[in-house]
Amino acid sequence: MAPESSSSLLAARPWLSIVGIGEDGLEGLGERARAAIAGAAVVFGGRRHLELAAAAITGEARAWPQPFDTAMQAVLALRGQKVCVLASGDPFFFGVGVTLARHVPAAEFYAYPSPSAFSLAAARLGWALQDIETVSLHGRPLDLVRPLLHPGRKVLALTSDAAGPGALARLLCDEGFGASRLTVLEALGGDGERLSGTLARDFALTGIDPLNLVALEITAEPAARVLPLGFGLPDELFDHDGQITKREIRAATLSALSPCRGELLWDIGAGSGSIGIEWMLAHPSLQAIAVEHHAERAARIRRNAARCGVPGLTLVEGKAPEALKDLPRPDAIFIGGGGSGTGVMEAALSALRPGGRLVANAVTLEMEQVLLACHARLGGSLTRFSVDRAEPVGRMTGWRPAMPVTQWIYRHQ
């Protein structure tokens, strides 16, 4: 490998410093972090950050614009000059460092992290950080906490403002977790640090500092809405009109789709959205696009995604194949409805990435014929599922068969 030229090495020298600062201000920073602030021609940060570091700033102090510019145009315009960006705690844990790193190569900046709010909270409570769940709800939907609500578990949730802890307590009560204990940790690391404990159902705390984090110790009531791990959530966790891939078939379908971290799924003819929702629940890095042309079902998908803790599911209201145009290329595709329509299967197959998986289920003869033809032409595997459920027959119980499902699994080479 050829050595880098002196000019490329010079261009890669850090011009940007990213300093994580806590509520203890300059006192909590090391000598190099303070020097990075003092040596910068321009220092960016939130108004609170700039106030905390004011004594060390010798250059121009610039507060972030509102709304926040995720493209970091003001910072990038100063490339090559000495620039410092102030952030809360650890800039690379749900922080501005992550945003900057999308635009600035790592060789061009140096970061000085401080303890994150999660680290400080775990230290105050004596909780093992590696054994608990952490989630940032700062500027993000509160619904993201739902998949973490398992009996006996501990959760640290960073909120957006003073109203966040109360909203979190109401969500817990609404979902059957009212007996859970909440500890609100305010202004961690600063002179105004305060810890307050209460049960979710008894929440009445007032005067909460906008900078807060909530520690949850989850206790579930018998009817609590727990979202279990693994594939095949109970059907009753989804609002649906009958257009839903039933639990047993859904588990087999998601197993066949074989999600891997960072992948994107198309759920064509999404119905209730259950496949895309469970795909996203498998790991936070997974994304899904639900395609549904029926307006009422589309609204239902939105509600189901929120209540199942994956509000980031993308919904495209339209009919395949037209609705598939211009969508990002998927790693996996599920066709549960409308697959027998003209051009749907062809459009799906042509969009699939190399190594991608397509899984299609059929309950009608028309769709089954499509799958048989695809299998004959392209290979893959065919499986037929038959599920019988025990149901009342008068005063007794008998087996009632569900409609059989034919499933085609294809991996694009």
Side-chain angles (χ1 to χ4, degrees):
M1 186 169 116
E4 293 185 81
S5 67
S6 58
S7 60
S8 66
L9 287 172
L10 180 64
R13 286 176 182 168
W15 55 273
L16 174 65
S17 298
I18 307 172
V19 176
I21 190 167
E23 288 301 288
D24 51 358
L26 295 172
E27 292 182 4
L29 299 181
E31 182 179 342
R32 290 185 179 181
R34 292 195 298 270
I37 298 171
V42 181
V43 180
F44 290 89
R47 296 190 184 281
R48 179 176 58 86
H49 299 138
L50 295 174
E51 290 172 3
L52 289 167
I57 297 174
T58 61
E60 178 188 354
R62 290 193 197 178
W64 293 122
Q66 296 297 328
F68 184 72
D69 178 20
T70 56
M72 293 288 167
Q73 296 178 55
V75 175
L76 295 178
L78 300 173
R79 192 180 220 125
Q81 300 183 45
K82 285 296 182 181
V83 177
C84 179
V85 170
L86 300 176
S88 296
D90 185 345
F92 287 89
F93 197 36
F94 296 110
V96 73
V98 178
T99 305
L100 281 164
R102 297 191 186 107
H103 306 285
V104 182
E108 294 185 28
F109 64 79
Y110 198 87
Y112 303 87
S114 292
S116 70
F118 298 109
S119 293
L120 291 173
R124 299 296 187 271
L125 298 168
W127 288 6
L129 195 55
Q130 73 273 12
D131 293 334
I132 62 178
E133 305 290 348
T134 59
V135 61
S136 175
L137 305 177
H138 184 77
R140 306 171 78 207
L142 203 65
D143 294 314
L144 292 171
V145 78
R146 294 178 186 271
L148 309 181
L149 303 179
H150 286 187
R153 298 298 295 169
K154 295 177 179 177
V155 180
L156 292 177
L158 185 66
T159 77
S160 288
D161 50 36
L168 198 51
R170 288 191 295 275
L171 183 149
L172 290 171
C173 292
D174 291 344
E175 300 297 351
F177 300 96
S180 298
R181 181 164 186 79
L182 279 68
T183 302
V184 181
L185 302 97
E186 306 170 59
L188 284 168
D191 294 338
E193 181 176 310
R194 181 174 64 168
L195 277 66
S196 306
T198 179
L199 297 183
R201 64 187 176 210
D202 298 331
F203 190 91
L205 301 177
T206 59
I208 297 172
D209 192 294
L211 296 173
N212 68 79
L213 181 146
V214 182
L216 308 176
E217 297 172 77
I218 305 301
T219 298
E221 298 160 9
R225 193 169 187 274
V226 177
L227 297 170
L229 299 176
F231 296 141
L233 294 179
D235 294 343
E236 55 267 24
L237 289 178
F238 300 97
D239 179 19
H240 63 90
D241 60 359
Q243 293 298 310
I244 182 173
T245 304
K246 299 298 191 295
R247 180 178 190 173
E248 299 85 355
I249 306 302
R250 192 178 340 116
T253 298
L254 284 153
S255 175
L257 286 167
S258 303
C260 294
R261 285 170 171 79
E263 289 190 327
L264 170 67
L265 170 76
W266 285 3
D267 182 0
I268 301 174
S272 68
S274 62
I275 293 290
I277 287 169
E278 288 211 43
W279 168 278
M280 290 184 66
L281 283 172
H283 193 267
S285 68
L286 293 167
Q287 296 295 315
I289 299 174
V291 179
E292 176 56 59
H293 76 281
H294 192 288
E296 189 174 338
R297 289 175 186 159
R300 198 174 280 122
I301 290 171
R302 289 192 182 93
R303 294 196 300 272
N304 282 334
R307 287 210 70 199
C308 290
V310 288
L313 182 143
T314 300
L315 176 64
V316 173
E317 292 193 54
K319 195 168 187 176
E322 293 78 15
L324 306 179
K325 294 177 181 177
D326 301 323
L327 295 184
R329 199 172 182 188
D331 302 284
I333 298 175
F334 172 63
I335 302 178
S340 59
T342 303
V344 174
M345 189 63 72
E346 291 78 4
L349 287 166
S350 65
L352 201 61
R353 291 182 184 275
R357 292 84 61 203
L358 186 148
V359 178
N361 292 350
V363 294
T364 66
L365 292 177
E366 290 77 8
M367 182 60 178
E368 186 173 88
Q369 288 173 353
V370 171
L371 300 189
L372 291 172
C374 287
H375 179 258
R377 180 166 56 94
L378 299 171
S381 64
L382 279 173
T383 305
R384 173 167 284 187
F385 297 98
S386 179
V387 177
D388 294 351
R389 296 185 180 87
E391 296 185 5
V393 180
R395 291 178 296 174
M396 299 186 181
T397 304
W399 293 107
R400 190 177 300 279
M403 293 182 68
V405 176
T406 301
Q407 183 177 91
W408 180 53
I409 304 172
Y410 171 72
R411 182 178 289 271
H412 183 46
Q413 302 302 319

